[in-house]
Amino acid sequence: FLSLPINSFSLISELTTSIYVYLFQDGVSTLSFSPSGELLLTMGNNEMNSTIGVYKWRERRLLFTATLPGLGFYDCSFLSSDNSFGIYGKDLVHFWTKSESHEPYRHYRGSTNLFPSQLQMTSIACVDGAVVTGSTSGALWLWEGRVLVKRVEVFRFPITKLFASSAGLFVSTQDGTIHLLSKELALQQRLDLFSRSDSHDIETLCWDTNQEKLLVGDSSNCLREMGLNSASKFVMGCHSTCHSALTDFTIDTLNDNIITVGEDGFVRKWDK
């Protein structure tokens, strides 16, 4: 685990300074804060041999690491507590759990017998204690424990990203639309981030609990924010100075920082 100071630089936004850069082995592609906000889950960007790490974020201390050989893993998320998290790859879902905070995480493979073999999973999240995964068919799948039990919602386009929040479950689809589902997984609202003349793919999204706004990273390497009843607005051109496309970001709600990761595998903390 390596920490490298870098020079500050200005951006066209209120977020003006990148303080540190962190690198873990082959780099990082995906991030997820735990429900308490104390732990940061990272997943490596080597698709053939994904390394996951759990960090005590504010202490910059690695608590747990594991390596999974396979054909690619694409998303990771803490689940109902700091003691459980899951990652998925193609048609595979893996879970790590522990009973007490001082114990090591134990690995379990999820049972996906109901999942059609021709489909691919795309994202994982946990809303109000229920684990859900999205898929390329546009179907949302519900889990009980480590077992896939049923399909609960179907969208017209492939699901690209899930994010669970106090507002409900946000689901982005390949047409650039974001759907808000209730904690009971009923469709509540549709959010159109882009105009038809300014369409981009949604790469990742996150709910800012402090501001009660949705932050969205798109394929133009920009971060945008929007309220549930307001139009989106530009926040910053992310990683343009670093020459590295944005792959994921999350919010450090305890310190109100944005944490990003790019294709170069580096994790960056952005201060206001």
PDB file of all heavy atoms in Angstrom, residues 33-66:
ATOM      1  N   PHE A  33     -17.692   2.618   0.479  1.00  0.00           N
ATOM      2  CA  PHE A  33     -17.584   2.855   1.913  1.00  0.00           C
ATOM      3  C   PHE A  33     -18.566   1.957   2.654  1.00  0.00           C
ATOM      4  O   PHE A  33     -19.652   1.640   2.157  1.00  0.00           O
ATOM      5  CB  PHE A  33     -17.874   4.316   2.260  1.00  0.00           C
ATOM      6  CG  PHE A  33     -16.643   5.185   2.277  1.00  0.00           C
ATOM      7  CD1 PHE A  33     -16.440   6.135   1.291  1.00  0.00           C
ATOM      8  CD2 PHE A  33     -15.687   5.045   3.265  1.00  0.00           C
ATOM      9  CE1 PHE A  33     -15.306   6.925   1.288  1.00  0.00           C
ATOM     10  CE2 PHE A  33     -14.550   5.834   3.286  1.00  0.00           C
ATOM     11  CZ  PHE A  33     -14.354   6.780   2.294  1.00  0.00           C
ATOM     12  N   SER A  34     -18.180   1.569   3.875  1.00  0.00           N
ATOM     13  CA  SER A  34     -19.048   0.762   4.722  1.00  0.00           C
ATOM     14  C   SER A  34     -20.168   1.623   5.287  1.00  0.00           C
ATOM     15  O   SER A  34     -20.093   2.859   5.269  1.00  0.00           O
ATOM     16  CB  SER A  34     -18.235   0.144   5.858  1.00  0.00           C
ATOM     17  OG  SER A  34     -17.731   1.156   6.722  1.00  0.00           O
ATOM     18  N   PRO A  35     -21.237   1.012   5.818  1.00  0.00           N
ATOM     19  CA  PRO A  35     -22.344   1.794   6.385  1.00  0.00           C
ATOM     20  C   PRO A  35     -21.913   2.780   7.466  1.00  0.00           C
ATOM     21  O   PRO A  35     -22.488   3.864   7.578  1.00  0.00           O
ATOM     22  CB  PRO A  35     -23.271   0.714   6.955  1.00  0.00           C
ATOM     23  CG  PRO A  35     -23.036  -0.470   6.075  1.00  0.00           C
ATOM     24  CD  PRO A  35     -21.567  -0.426   5.759  1.00  0.00           C
ATOM     25  N   SER A  36     -20.894   2.444   8.255  1.00  0.00           N
ATOM     26  CA  SER A  36     -20.424   3.358   9.303  1.00  0.00           C
ATOM     27  C   SER A  36     -19.584   4.498   8.747  1.00  0.00           C
ATOM     28  O   SER A  36     -19.380   5.509   9.412  1.00  0.00           O
ATOM     29  CB  SER A  36     -19.592   2.594  10.343  1.00  0.00           C
ATOM     30  OG  SER A  36     -18.335   2.218   9.797  1.00  0.00           O
ATOM     31  N   GLY A  37     -19.084   4.343   7.514  1.00  0.00           N
ATOM     32  CA  GLY A  37     -18.196   5.326   6.926  1.00  0.00           C
ATOM     33  C   GLY A  37     -16.748   5.173   7.352  1.00  0.00           C
ATOM     34  O   GLY A  37     -15.895   5.940   6.913  1.00  0.00           O
ATOM     35  N   GLU A  38     -16.449   4.174   8.165  1.00  0.00           N
ATOM     36  CA  GLU A  38     -15.091   3.992   8.683  1.00  0.00           C
ATOM     37  C   GLU A  38     -14.208   3.154   7.767  1.00  0.00           C
ATOM     38  O   GLU A  38     -12.993   3.314   7.748  1.00  0.00           O
ATOM     39  CB  GLU A  38     -15.139   3.343  10.074  1.00  0.00           C
ATOM     40  CG  GLU A  38     -15.788   4.204  11.146  1.00  0.00           C
ATOM     41  CD  GLU A  38     -14.936   5.413  11.508  1.00  0.00           C
ATOM     42  OE1 GLU A  38     -13.722   5.390  11.220  1.00  0.00           O
ATOM     43  OE2 GLU A  38     -15.497   6.376  12.064  1.00  0.00           O
ATOM     44  N   LEU A  39     -14.797   2.227   7.016  1.00  0.00           N
ATOM     45  CA  LEU A  39     -14.028   1.289   6.199  1.00  0.00           C
ATOM     46  C   LEU A  39     -14.239   1.576   4.721  1.00  0.00           C
ATOM     47  O   LEU A  39     -15.340   1.941   4.292  1.00  0.00           O
ATOM     48  CB  LEU A  39     -14.446  -0.155   6.497  1.00  0.00           C
ATOM     49  CG  LEU A  39     -14.357  -0.627   7.950  1.00  0.00           C
ATOM     50  CD1 LEU A  39     -14.780  -2.085   8.058  1.00  0.00           C
ATOM     51  CD2 LEU A  39     -12.969  -0.411   8.518  1.00  0.00           C
ATOM     52  N   LEU A  40     -13.180   1.399   3.938  1.00  0.00           N
ATOM     53  CA  LEU A  40     -13.251   1.558   2.484  1.00  0.00           C
ATOM     54  C   LEU A  40     -12.895   0.235   1.833  1.00  0.00           C
ATOM     55  O   LEU A  40     -11.833  -0.336   2.089  1.00  0.00           O
ATOM     56  CB  LEU A  40     -12.293   2.645   2.008  1.00  0.00           C
ATOM     57  CG  LEU A  40     -12.292   2.903   0.492  1.00  0.00           C
ATOM     58  CD1 LEU A  40     -13.613   3.526   0.058  1.00  0.00           C
ATOM     59  CD2 LEU A  40     -11.126   3.808   0.090  1.00  0.00           C
ATOM     60  N   LEU A  41     -13.803  -0.270   0.998  1.00  0.00           N
ATOM     61  CA  LEU A  41     -13.586  -1.490   0.233  1.00  0.00           C
ATOM     62  C   LEU A  41     -13.081  -1.115  -1.151  1.00  0.00           C
ATOM     63  O   LEU A  41     -13.655  -0.259  -1.819  1.00  0.00           O
ATOM     64  CB  LEU A  41     -14.901  -2.265   0.132  1.00  0.00           C
ATOM     65  CG  LEU A  41     -14.941  -3.501  -0.765  1.00  0.00           C
ATOM     66  CD1 LEU A  41     -14.019  -4.589  -0.244  1.00  0.00           C
ATOM     67  CD2 LEU A  41     -16.377  -4.027  -0.877  1.00  0.00           C
ATOM     68  N   THR A  42     -11.987  -1.748  -1.580  1.00  0.00           N
ATOM     69  CA  THR A  42     -11.438  -1.492  -2.907  1.00  0.00           C
ATOM     70  C   THR A  42     -11.345  -2.808  -3.674  1.00  0.00           C
ATOM     71  O   THR A  42     -11.174  -3.873  -3.088  1.00  0.00           O
ATOM     72  CB  THR A  42     -10.030  -0.869  -2.838  1.00  0.00           C
ATOM     73  OG1 THR A  42      -9.102  -1.836  -2.303  1.00  0.00           O
ATOM     74  CG2 THR A  42     -10.023   0.371  -1.968  1.00  0.00           C
ATOM     75  N   MET A  43     -11.440  -2.711  -4.998  1.00  0.00           N
ATOM     76  CA  MET A  43     -11.269  -3.882  -5.857  1.00  0.00           C
ATOM     77  C   MET A  43     -10.263  -3.543  -6.931  1.00  0.00           C
ATOM     78  O   MET A  43     -10.345  -2.491  -7.573  1.00  0.00           O
ATOM     79  CB  MET A  43     -12.599  -4.296  -6.480  1.00  0.00           C
ATOM     80  CG  MET A  43     -12.518  -5.595  -7.256  1.00  0.00           C
ATOM     81  SD  MET A  43     -14.158  -6.180  -7.781  1.00  0.00           S
ATOM     82  CE  MET A  43     -14.586  -4.923  -8.978  1.00  0.00           C
ATOM     83  N   GLY A  44      -9.278  -4.435  -7.132  1.00  0.00           N
ATOM     84  CA  GLY A  44      -8.217  -4.181  -8.094  1.00  0.00           C
ATOM     85  C   GLY A  44      -8.706  -4.172  -9.526  1.00  0.00           C
ATOM     86  O   GLY A  44      -9.769  -4.704  -9.851  1.00  0.00           O
ATOM     87  N   ASN A  45      -7.891  -3.570 -10.413  1.00  0.00           N
ATOM     88  CA  ASN A  45      -8.309  -3.436 -11.808  1.00  0.00           C
ATOM     89  C   ASN A  45      -7.667  -4.465 -12.727  1.00  0.00           C
ATOM     90  O   ASN A  45      -7.706  -4.327 -13.935  1.00  0.00           O
ATOM     91  CB  ASN A  45      -8.021  -2.021 -12.324  1.00  0.00           C
ATOM     92  CG  ASN A  45      -6.542  -1.658 -12.267  1.00  0.00           C
ATOM     93  OD1 ASN A  45      -5.699  -2.508 -11.962  1.00  0.00           O
ATOM     94  ND2 ASN A  45      -6.224  -0.406 -12.557  1.00  0.00           N
ATOM     95  N   ASN A  46      -7.075  -5.509 -12.158  1.00  0.00           N
ATOM     96  CA  ASN A  46      -6.579  -6.617 -12.961  1.00  0.00           C
ATOM     97  C   ASN A  46      -7.704  -7.620 -13.134  1.00  0.00           C
ATOM     98  O   ASN A  46      -8.050  -8.353 -12.209  1.00  0.00           O
ATOM     99  CB  ASN A  46      -5.380  -7.276 -12.260  1.00  0.00           C
ATOM    100  CG  ASN A  46      -4.762  -8.375 -13.108  1.00  0.00           C
ATOM    101  OD1 ASN A  46      -5.389  -8.911 -14.011  1.00  0.00           O
ATOM    102  ND2 ASN A  46      -3.510  -8.716 -12.813  1.00  0.00           N
ATOM    103  N   GLU A  47      -8.309  -7.673 -14.328  1.00  0.00           N
ATOM    104  CA  GLU A  47      -9.510  -8.477 -14.528  1.00  0.00           C
ATOM    105  C   GLU A  47      -9.264  -9.974 -14.386  1.00  0.00           C
ATOM    106  O   GLU A  47     -10.177 -10.741 -14.107  1.00  0.00           O
ATOM    107  CB  GLU A  47     -10.122  -8.185 -15.904  1.00  0.00           C
ATOM    108  CG  GLU A  47     -10.741  -6.802 -16.012  1.00  0.00           C
ATOM    109  CD  GLU A  47     -11.513  -6.625 -17.294  1.00  0.00           C
ATOM    110  OE1 GLU A  47     -11.435  -7.535 -18.151  1.00  0.00           O
ATOM    111  OE2 GLU A  47     -12.184  -5.597 -17.447  1.00  0.00           O
ATOM    112  N   MET A  48      -8.038 -10.430 -14.585  1.00  0.00           N
ATOM    113  CA  MET A  48      -7.762 -11.846 -14.510  1.00  0.00           C
ATOM    114  C   MET A  48      -7.409 -12.305 -13.105  1.00  0.00           C
ATOM    115  O   MET A  48      -7.314 -13.501 -12.838  1.00  0.00           O
ATOM    116  CB  MET A  48      -6.612 -12.205 -15.474  1.00  0.00           C
ATOM    117  CG  MET A  48      -6.929 -11.917 -16.933  1.00  0.00           C
ATOM    118  SD  MET A  48      -8.414 -12.774 -17.513  1.00  0.00           S
ATOM    119  CE  MET A  48      -7.849 -14.476 -17.450  1.00  0.00           C
ATOM    120  N   ASN A  49      -7.192 -11.374 -12.199  1.00  0.00           N
ATOM    121  CA  ASN A  49      -6.762 -11.759 -10.855  1.00  0.00           C
ATOM    122  C   ASN A  49      -7.103 -10.632  -9.894  1.00  0.00           C
ATOM    123  O   ASN A  49      -6.224  -9.900  -9.446  1.00  0.00           O
ATOM    124  CB  ASN A  49      -5.257 -12.036 -10.860  1.00  0.00           C
ATOM    125  CG  ASN A  49      -4.813 -12.838  -9.663  1.00  0.00           C
ATOM    126  OD1 ASN A  49      -5.628 -13.467  -8.990  1.00  0.00           O
ATOM    127  ND2 ASN A  49      -3.528 -12.818  -9.393  1.00  0.00           N
ATOM    128  N   SER A  50      -8.375 -10.463  -9.585  1.00  0.00           N
ATOM    129  CA  SER A  50      -8.835  -9.300  -8.846  1.00  0.00           C
ATOM    130  C   SER A  50      -8.453  -9.384  -7.372  1.00  0.00           C
ATOM    131  O   SER A  50      -8.694 -10.388  -6.708  1.00  0.00           O
ATOM    132  CB  SER A  50     -10.357  -9.158  -8.959  1.00  0.00           C
ATOM    133  OG  SER A  50     -10.713  -8.805 -10.270  1.00  0.00           O
ATOM    134  N   THR A  51      -7.849  -8.320  -6.872  1.00  0.00           N
ATOM    135  CA  THR A  51      -7.489  -8.223  -5.465  1.00  0.00           C
ATOM    136  C   THR A  51      -8.450  -7.269  -4.775  1.00  0.00           C
ATOM    137  O   THR A  51      -8.701  -6.166  -5.263  1.00  0.00           O
ATOM    138  CB  THR A  51      -6.050  -7.715  -5.291  1.00  0.00           C
ATOM    139  OG1 THR A  51      -5.153  -8.610  -5.947  1.00  0.00           O
ATOM    140  CG2 THR A  51      -5.677  -7.610  -3.831  1.00  0.00           C
ATOM    141  N   ILE A  52      -9.017  -7.689  -3.645  1.00  0.00           N
ATOM    142  CA  ILE A  52      -9.882  -6.826  -2.866  1.00  0.00           C
ATOM    143  C   ILE A  52      -9.175  -6.442  -1.578  1.00  0.00           C
ATOM    144  O   ILE A  52      -8.358  -7.196  -1.048  1.00  0.00           O
ATOM    145  CB  ILE A  52     -11.231  -7.510  -2.543  1.00  0.00           C
ATOM    146  CG1 ILE A  52     -11.014  -8.855  -1.855  1.00  0.00           C
ATOM    147  CG2 ILE A  52     -12.075  -7.655  -3.789  1.00  0.00           C
ATOM    148  CD1 ILE A  52     -12.275  -9.527  -1.412  1.00  0.00           C
ATOM    149  N   GLY A  53      -9.454  -5.260  -1.088  1.00  0.00           N
ATOM    150  CA  GLY A  53      -8.853  -4.794   0.154  1.00  0.00           C
ATOM    151  C   GLY A  53      -9.869  -4.036   0.984  1.00  0.00           C
ATOM    152  O   GLY A  53     -10.724  -3.335   0.436  1.00  0.00           O
ATOM    153  N   VAL A  54      -9.810  -4.187   2.296  1.00  0.00           N
ATOM    154  CA  VAL A  54     -10.622  -3.417   3.221  1.00  0.00           C
ATOM    155  C   VAL A  54      -9.684  -2.574   4.061  1.00  0.00           C
ATOM    156  O   VAL A  54      -8.775  -3.102   4.710  1.00  0.00           O
ATOM    157  CB  VAL A  54     -11.476  -4.334   4.135  1.00  0.00           C
ATOM    158  CG1 VAL A  54     -12.256  -3.484   5.141  1.00  0.00           C
ATOM    159  CG2 VAL A  54     -12.424  -5.184   3.303  1.00  0.00           C
ATOM    160  N   TYR A  55      -9.900  -1.251   4.030  1.00  0.00           N
ATOM    161  CA  TYR A  55      -9.018  -0.316   4.712  1.00  0.00           C
ATOM    162  C   TYR A  55      -9.742   0.416   5.836  1.00  0.00           C
ATOM    163  O   TYR A  55     -10.923   0.740   5.712  1.00  0.00           O
ATOM    164  CB  TYR A  55      -8.484   0.740   3.732  1.00  0.00           C
ATOM    165  CG  TYR A  55      -7.564   0.189   2.685  1.00  0.00           C
ATOM    166  CD1 TYR A  55      -8.062  -0.249   1.462  1.00  0.00           C
ATOM    167  CD2 TYR A  55      -6.203   0.087   2.918  1.00  0.00           C
ATOM    168  CE1 TYR A  55      -7.224  -0.759   0.492  1.00  0.00           C
ATOM    169  CE2 TYR A  55      -5.353  -0.422   1.954  1.00  0.00           C
ATOM    170  CZ  TYR A  55      -5.871  -0.848   0.741  1.00  0.00           C
ATOM    171  OH  TYR A  55      -5.038  -1.362  -0.213  1.00  0.00           O
ATOM    172  N   LYS A  56      -9.030   0.672   6.907  1.00  0.00           N
ATOM    173  CA  LYS A  56      -9.447   1.653   7.904  1.00  0.00           C
ATOM    174  C   LYS A  56      -9.079   2.997   7.284  1.00  0.00           C
ATOM    175  O   LYS A  56      -7.934   3.436   7.337  1.00  0.00           O
ATOM    176  CB  LYS A  56      -8.715   1.424   9.222  1.00  0.00           C
ATOM    177  CG  LYS A  56      -9.262   2.194  10.400  1.00  0.00           C
ATOM    178  CD  LYS A  56     -10.517   1.555  10.970  1.00  0.00           C
ATOM    179  CE  LYS A  56     -10.889   2.197  12.306  1.00  0.00           C
ATOM    180  NZ  LYS A  56     -12.131   1.602  12.859  1.00  0.00           N
ATOM    181  N   TRP A  57     -10.060   3.644   6.666  1.00  0.00           N
ATOM    182  CA  TRP A  57      -9.782   4.728   5.735  1.00  0.00           C
ATOM    183  C   TRP A  57      -8.992   5.871   6.361  1.00  0.00           C
ATOM    184  O   TRP A  57      -7.987   6.314   5.812  1.00  0.00           O
ATOM    185  CB  TRP A  57     -11.088   5.233   5.137  1.00  0.00           C
ATOM    186  CG  TRP A  57     -10.970   6.491   4.333  1.00  0.00           C
ATOM    187  CD1 TRP A  57     -11.553   7.688   4.609  1.00  0.00           C
ATOM    188  CD2 TRP A  57     -10.223   6.675   3.124  1.00  0.00           C
ATOM    189  NE1 TRP A  57     -11.224   8.610   3.647  1.00  0.00           N
ATOM    190  CE2 TRP A  57     -10.396   8.007   2.724  1.00  0.00           C
ATOM    191  CE3 TRP A  57      -9.407   5.851   2.353  1.00  0.00           C
ATOM    192  CZ2 TRP A  57      -9.805   8.538   1.589  1.00  0.00           C
ATOM    193  CZ3 TRP A  57      -8.807   6.364   1.218  1.00  0.00           C
ATOM    194  CH2 TRP A  57      -9.013   7.695   0.850  1.00  0.00           C
ATOM    195  N   ARG A  58      -9.432   6.369   7.492  1.00  0.00           N
ATOM    196  CA  ARG A  58      -8.774   7.550   8.073  1.00  0.00           C
ATOM    197  C   ARG A  58      -7.395   7.244   8.638  1.00  0.00           C
ATOM    198  O   ARG A  58      -6.563   8.124   8.767  1.00  0.00           O
ATOM    199  CB  ARG A  58      -9.673   8.184   9.135  1.00  0.00           C
ATOM    200  CG  ARG A  58     -10.776   9.010   8.491  1.00  0.00           C
ATOM    201  CD  ARG A  58     -12.022   9.145   9.338  1.00  0.00           C
ATOM    202  NE  ARG A  58     -13.127   9.525   8.474  1.00  0.00           N
ATOM    203  CZ  ARG A  58     -13.848   8.641   7.779  1.00  0.00           C
ATOM    204  NH1 ARG A  58     -13.605   7.362   7.898  1.00  0.00           N
ATOM    205  NH2 ARG A  58     -14.797   9.056   6.976  1.00  0.00           N
ATOM    206  N   GLU A  59      -7.134   5.996   8.941  1.00  0.00           N
ATOM    207  CA  GLU A  59      -5.811   5.592   9.407  1.00  0.00           C
ATOM    208  C   GLU A  59      -4.930   5.123   8.258  1.00  0.00           C
ATOM    209  O   GLU A  59      -3.746   4.839   8.463  1.00  0.00           O
ATOM    210  CB  GLU A  59      -5.930   4.475  10.443  1.00  0.00           C
ATOM    211  CG  GLU A  59      -6.684   4.879  11.699  1.00  0.00           C
ATOM    212  CD  GLU A  59      -6.872   3.715  12.657  1.00  0.00           C
ATOM    213  OE1 GLU A  59      -6.254   2.641  12.436  1.00  0.00           O
ATOM    214  OE2 GLU A  59      -7.638   3.872  13.633  1.00  0.00           O
ATOM    215  N   ARG A  60      -5.507   5.024   7.049  1.00  0.00           N
ATOM    216  CA  ARG A  60      -4.782   4.516   5.879  1.00  0.00           C
ATOM    217  C   ARG A  60      -4.162   3.159   6.188  1.00  0.00           C
ATOM    218  O   ARG A  60      -3.016   2.876   5.846  1.00  0.00           O
ATOM    219  CB  ARG A  60      -3.702   5.506   5.426  1.00  0.00           C
ATOM    220  CG  ARG A  60      -4.186   6.942   5.232  1.00  0.00           C
ATOM    221  CD  ARG A  60      -5.237   7.044   4.133  1.00  0.00           C
ATOM    222  NE  ARG A  60      -5.518   8.422   3.824  1.00  0.00           N
ATOM    223  CZ  ARG A  60      -6.601   9.083   4.215  1.00  0.00           C
ATOM    224  NH1 ARG A  60      -7.495   8.465   4.967  1.00  0.00           N
ATOM    225  NH2 ARG A  60      -6.785  10.336   3.866  1.00  0.00           N
ATOM    226  N   ARG A  61      -4.941   2.284   6.811  1.00  0.00           N
ATOM    227  CA  ARG A  61      -4.419   0.996   7.271  1.00  0.00           C
ATOM    228  C   ARG A  61      -5.201  -0.146   6.634  1.00  0.00           C
ATOM    229  O   ARG A  61      -6.432  -0.177   6.677  1.00  0.00           O
ATOM    230  CB  ARG A  61      -4.504   0.923   8.794  1.00  0.00           C
ATOM    231  CG  ARG A  61      -4.004  -0.383   9.403  1.00  0.00           C
ATOM    232  CD  ARG A  61      -3.752  -0.226  10.896  1.00  0.00           C
ATOM    233  NE  ARG A  61      -4.930   0.214  11.634  1.00  0.00           N
ATOM    234  CZ  ARG A  61      -5.796  -0.619  12.227  1.00  0.00           C
ATOM    235  NH1 ARG A  61      -5.608  -1.930  12.152  1.00  0.00           N
ATOM    236  NH2 ARG A  61      -6.835  -0.138  12.899  1.00  0.00           N
ATOM    237  N   LEU A  62      -4.475  -1.086   6.050  1.00  0.00           N
ATOM    238  CA  LEU A  62      -5.089  -2.248   5.428  1.00  0.00           C
ATOM    239  C   LEU A  62      -5.473  -3.257   6.498  1.00  0.00           C
ATOM    240  O   LEU A  62      -4.640  -3.717   7.277  1.00  0.00           O
ATOM    241  CB  LEU A  62      -4.118  -2.888   4.436  1.00  0.00           C
ATOM    242  CG  LEU A  62      -4.596  -4.147   3.716  1.00  0.00           C
ATOM    243  CD1 LEU A  62      -5.784  -3.828   2.827  1.00  0.00           C
ATOM    244  CD2 LEU A  62      -3.459  -4.747   2.901  1.00  0.00           C
ATOM    245  N   LEU A  63      -6.774  -3.632   6.546  1.00  0.00           N
ATOM    246  CA  LEU A  63      -7.268  -4.584   7.533  1.00  0.00           C
ATOM    247  C   LEU A  63      -7.407  -5.990   6.967  1.00  0.00           C
ATOM    248  O   LEU A  63      -7.254  -6.979   7.687  1.00  0.00           O
ATOM    249  CB  LEU A  63      -8.634  -4.133   8.066  1.00  0.00           C
ATOM    250  CG  LEU A  63      -8.711  -2.781   8.758  1.00  0.00           C
ATOM    251  CD1 LEU A  63     -10.150  -2.506   9.176  1.00  0.00           C
ATOM    252  CD2 LEU A  63      -7.772  -2.733   9.951  1.00  0.00           C
ATOM    253  N   PHE A  64      -7.739  -6.083   5.678  1.00  0.00           N
ATOM    254  CA  PHE A  64      -8.025  -7.388   5.089  1.00  0.00           C
ATOM    255  C   PHE A  64      -7.763  -7.324   3.591  1.00  0.00           C
ATOM    256  O   PHE A  64      -8.035  -6.316   2.940  1.00  0.00           O
ATOM    257  CB  PHE A  64      -9.489  -7.766   5.334  1.00  0.00           C
ATOM    258  CG  PHE A  64      -9.928  -9.022   4.641  1.00  0.00           C
ATOM    259  CD1 PHE A  64      -9.655 -10.269   5.189  1.00  0.00           C
ATOM    260  CD2 PHE A  64     -10.605  -8.969   3.427  1.00  0.00           C
ATOM    261  CE1 PHE A  64     -10.056 -11.430   4.545  1.00  0.00           C
ATOM    262  CE2 PHE A  64     -11.001 -10.135   2.782  1.00  0.00           C
ATOM    263  CZ  PHE A  64     -10.725 -11.361   3.351  1.00  0.00           C
ATOM    264  N   THR A  65      -7.225  -8.414   3.052  1.00  0.00           N
ATOM    265  CA  THR A  65      -7.045  -8.508   1.609  1.00  0.00           C
ATOM    266  C   THR A  65      -7.241  -9.941   1.150  1.00  0.00           C
ATOM    267  O   THR A  65      -7.007 -10.887   1.918  1.00  0.00           O
ATOM    268  CB  THR A  65      -5.646  -8.005   1.180  1.00  0.00           C
ATOM    269  OG1 THR A  65      -5.556  -8.023  -0.248  1.00  0.00           O
ATOM    270  CG2 THR A  65      -4.550  -8.868   1.773  1.00  0.00           C
ATOM    271  N   ALA A  66      -7.726 -10.117  -0.068  1.00  0.00           N
ATOM    272  CA  ALA A  66      -7.907 -11.439  -0.659  1.00  0.00           C
ATOM    273  C   ALA A  66      -7.800 -11.299  -2.170  1.00  0.00           C
ATOM    274  O   ALA A  66      -8.087 -10.240  -2.736  1.00  0.00           O
ATOM    275  CB  ALA A  66      -9.259 -12.036  -0.276  1.00  0.00           C
TER     276      ALA A  66
END
